[in-house]
Amino acid sequence: MQNIQPVIDSIYDIMQSRLGEGKVADYIPELAKIDPKQFGMAVTTVEGETFVAGNAQTQFSIQSISKVFMLTLALGKTGESVWKRVGREPSGSAFNSIVQLERESGIPRNPFVNAGAIVVTDMVLAGHQPREAIGELLRFIRYLADDETISIDNKVAQSEQATGYRNFALANFMRSFGNLHHPVEHTLGVYFHQCAISMNCVQLARAGLFLANRGRNPITGHSVVSDRRARRINALMLTCGHYDGSGDFAYHVGLPGKSGVGGGILVVAPGKASVAVWSPGLNEVGNSALGSEALEMLANEMGWSVFGA
Ligand code: DON
């Protein structure tokens, strides 16, 4: 395998002169305060080595990347019956779109658009108090990353709780179709807190490593999911992980990935590595602008792609 450190060092150098490109998410007031001129990257290989560049140790709000971990929990709890309440098709619309929901009777297109993620959270909430459900997810992420310091930024959670009108609309709409089983305030309470989990690139790359290694974390030896389930989660990340930008991301990067409006992206290079990149400025579809480009450079340089050897 090509030496990774010089590759990410040179990507970081290129990005230095472009810091601040894109637009920081401002519909969550607390995220609007983040300095856009930051860029970090961490690559953890399946051999257990980690390579970093830039602000790889700076905490950021993982936002929608949390949906991958919540889906993994829901699949563990309820297995394939998850798919009775949420689909597996790319949406072709924005992450917070409501239009398809009406036409499709309250069954969201996939688990990564907001509506789908809210349903997945509702599944994990079954039999629990909201506090227990968010505790379960946080413990799971700490276990995956092997890092007990990972925590929730309550300011971000409260900021979204106070302004998340669209998510309240989506959740109420699904409740009217019977596809939300708990009070809207409970499910969204968990959802806003999962999105407000704070991590850095190193922690995130470690947490995603099981997806690059057939469901097993090669550093801790923990078996997290089956090989088949890891493949399927990767398939969903590839087809739906970047919303209406998923096709473009597959074309340019060629690897499964999940973005968040905090500017983070988690990418899986099966059999090779887990990669986390963070830069807060977003492109027009709500994915990190510099982050997406950095991942394209990395995949090209390393020759990593799920579409060819
Ligand atoms: O629900 C929301 O709008 C945010 N908490 C998460 C959205 C998000 O990260 C979309 N990703 N690019």
Side-chain angles (χ1 to χ4, degrees), residues 7-8 40 131 189 193 202 211 218 243:
V7 173
I8 61 173
R131 182 173 288 277
H193 282 81
V202 173
L211 292 171
Y243 314 107

PDB file of all heavy atoms in Angstrom, residues 7-8 40 131 189 193 202 211 218 243:
ATOM      1  N   VAL A   7       0.568  11.467   1.522  1.00  0.00           N
ATOM      2  CA  VAL A   7      -0.634  11.761   0.723  1.00  0.00           C
ATOM      3  C   VAL A   7      -1.534  12.736   1.490  1.00  0.00           C
ATOM      4  O   VAL A   7      -1.961  13.765   0.939  1.00  0.00           O
ATOM      5  CB  VAL A   7      -1.414  10.456   0.377  1.00  0.00           C
ATOM      6  CG1 VAL A   7      -2.741  10.776  -0.292  1.00  0.00           C
ATOM      7  CG2 VAL A   7      -0.562   9.547  -0.508  1.00  0.00           C
ATOM      8  N   ILE A   8      -1.785  12.452   2.766  1.00  0.00           N
ATOM      9  CA  ILE A   8      -2.696  13.365   3.479  1.00  0.00           C
ATOM     10  C   ILE A   8      -2.005  14.694   3.823  1.00  0.00           C
ATOM     11  O   ILE A   8      -2.648  15.727   3.887  1.00  0.00           O
ATOM     12  CB  ILE A   8      -3.396  12.716   4.700  1.00  0.00           C
ATOM     13  CG1 ILE A   8      -2.420  12.238   5.761  1.00  0.00           C
ATOM     14  CG2 ILE A   8      -4.294  11.574   4.272  1.00  0.00           C
ATOM     15  CD1 ILE A   8      -3.146  11.773   7.025  1.00  0.00           C
ATOM     16  N   GLY A  40      -9.461  19.041   8.984  1.00  0.00           N
ATOM     17  CA  GLY A  40      -8.758  17.933   9.638  1.00  0.00           C
ATOM     18  C   GLY A  40      -9.062  16.625   8.948  1.00  0.00           C
ATOM     19  O   GLY A  40     -10.106  16.480   8.280  1.00  0.00           O
ATOM     20  N   ARG A 131     -33.652   9.198  27.790  1.00  0.00           N
ATOM     21  CA  ARG A 131     -32.304   9.286  28.374  1.00  0.00           C
ATOM     22  C   ARG A 131     -31.535   7.968  28.208  1.00  0.00           C
ATOM     23  O   ARG A 131     -30.332   7.952  27.961  1.00  0.00           O
ATOM     24  CB  ARG A 131     -32.472   9.640  29.861  1.00  0.00           C
ATOM     25  CG  ARG A 131     -31.205   9.830  30.621  1.00  0.00           C
ATOM     26  CD  ARG A 131     -31.505  10.348  32.024  1.00  0.00           C
ATOM     27  NE  ARG A 131     -31.936  11.736  32.000  1.00  0.00           N
ATOM     28  CZ  ARG A 131     -31.099  12.774  31.958  1.00  0.00           C
ATOM     29  NH1 ARG A 131     -29.808  12.585  31.942  1.00  0.00           N
ATOM     30  NH2 ARG A 131     -31.545  14.003  31.934  1.00  0.00           N
ATOM     31  N   GLY A 189     -36.152  14.388  20.959  1.00  0.00           N
ATOM     32  CA  GLY A 189     -35.193  14.653  22.039  1.00  0.00           C
ATOM     33  C   GLY A 189     -33.965  13.766  21.870  1.00  0.00           C
ATOM     34  O   GLY A 189     -32.820  14.235  21.968  1.00  0.00           O
ATOM     35  N   HIS A 193     -30.076  14.935  20.386  1.00  0.00           N
ATOM     36  CA  HIS A 193     -28.883  14.646  21.193  1.00  0.00           C
ATOM     37  C   HIS A 193     -27.897  13.746  20.444  1.00  0.00           C
ATOM     38  O   HIS A 193     -26.692  13.909  20.576  1.00  0.00           O
ATOM     39  CB  HIS A 193     -29.268  14.042  22.554  1.00  0.00           C
ATOM     40  CG  HIS A 193     -29.751  15.083  23.513  1.00  0.00           C
ATOM     41  ND1 HIS A 193     -31.038  15.576  23.481  1.00  0.00           N
ATOM     42  CD2 HIS A 193     -29.113  15.765  24.497  1.00  0.00           C
ATOM     43  CE1 HIS A 193     -31.170  16.508  24.405  1.00  0.00           C
ATOM     44  NE2 HIS A 193     -30.018  16.654  25.039  1.00  0.00           N
ATOM     45  N   VAL A 202     -10.004  11.603  14.594  1.00  0.00           N
ATOM     46  CA  VAL A 202      -9.356  10.351  15.021  1.00  0.00           C
ATOM     47  C   VAL A 202     -10.396   9.412  15.635  1.00  0.00           C
ATOM     48  O   VAL A 202     -10.469   8.224  15.294  1.00  0.00           O
ATOM     49  CB  VAL A 202      -8.221  10.650  16.037  1.00  0.00           C
ATOM     50  CG1 VAL A 202      -7.649   9.365  16.615  1.00  0.00           C
ATOM     51  CG2 VAL A 202      -7.121  11.473  15.363  1.00  0.00           C
ATOM     52  N   LEU A 211     -16.673  -1.131   9.893  1.00  0.00           N
ATOM     53  CA  LEU A 211     -17.321  -1.210   8.571  1.00  0.00           C
ATOM     54  C   LEU A 211     -16.313  -1.482   7.457  1.00  0.00           C
ATOM     55  O   LEU A 211     -16.672  -1.933   6.377  1.00  0.00           O
ATOM     56  CB  LEU A 211     -18.092   0.087   8.288  1.00  0.00           C
ATOM     57  CG  LEU A 211     -19.322   0.308   9.178  1.00  0.00           C
ATOM     58  CD1 LEU A 211     -19.873   1.715   8.973  1.00  0.00           C
ATOM     59  CD2 LEU A 211     -20.396  -0.746   8.885  1.00  0.00           C
ATOM     60  N   PRO A 218     -10.669  -4.208  14.206  1.00  0.00           N
ATOM     61  CA  PRO A 218      -9.406  -4.946  14.258  1.00  0.00           C
ATOM     62  C   PRO A 218      -8.491  -4.486  15.389  1.00  0.00           C
ATOM     63  O   PRO A 218      -7.564  -5.206  15.759  1.00  0.00           O
ATOM     64  CB  PRO A 218      -8.769  -4.637  12.896  1.00  0.00           C
ATOM     65  CG  PRO A 218      -9.354  -3.325  12.486  1.00  0.00           C
ATOM     66  CD  PRO A 218     -10.728  -3.257  13.073  1.00  0.00           C
ATOM     67  N   TYR A 243     -27.242  12.167   0.526  1.00  0.00           N
ATOM     68  CA  TYR A 243     -28.513  12.730   0.066  1.00  0.00           C
ATOM     69  C   TYR A 243     -28.516  12.885  -1.444  1.00  0.00           C
ATOM     70  O   TYR A 243     -28.081  11.992  -2.162  1.00  0.00           O
ATOM     71  CB  TYR A 243     -28.809  14.068   0.785  1.00  0.00           C
ATOM     72  CG  TYR A 243     -28.553  13.939   2.256  1.00  0.00           C
ATOM     73  CD1 TYR A 243     -27.453  14.526   2.858  1.00  0.00           C
ATOM     74  CD2 TYR A 243     -29.396  13.156   3.034  1.00  0.00           C
ATOM     75  CE1 TYR A 243     -27.200  14.354   4.214  1.00  0.00           C
ATOM     76  CE2 TYR A 243     -29.139  12.976   4.380  1.00  0.00           C
ATOM     77  CZ  TYR A 243     -28.045  13.576   4.958  1.00  0.00           C
ATOM     78  OH  TYR A 243     -27.789  13.401   6.277  1.00  0.00           O
TER      79      TYR A 243
END
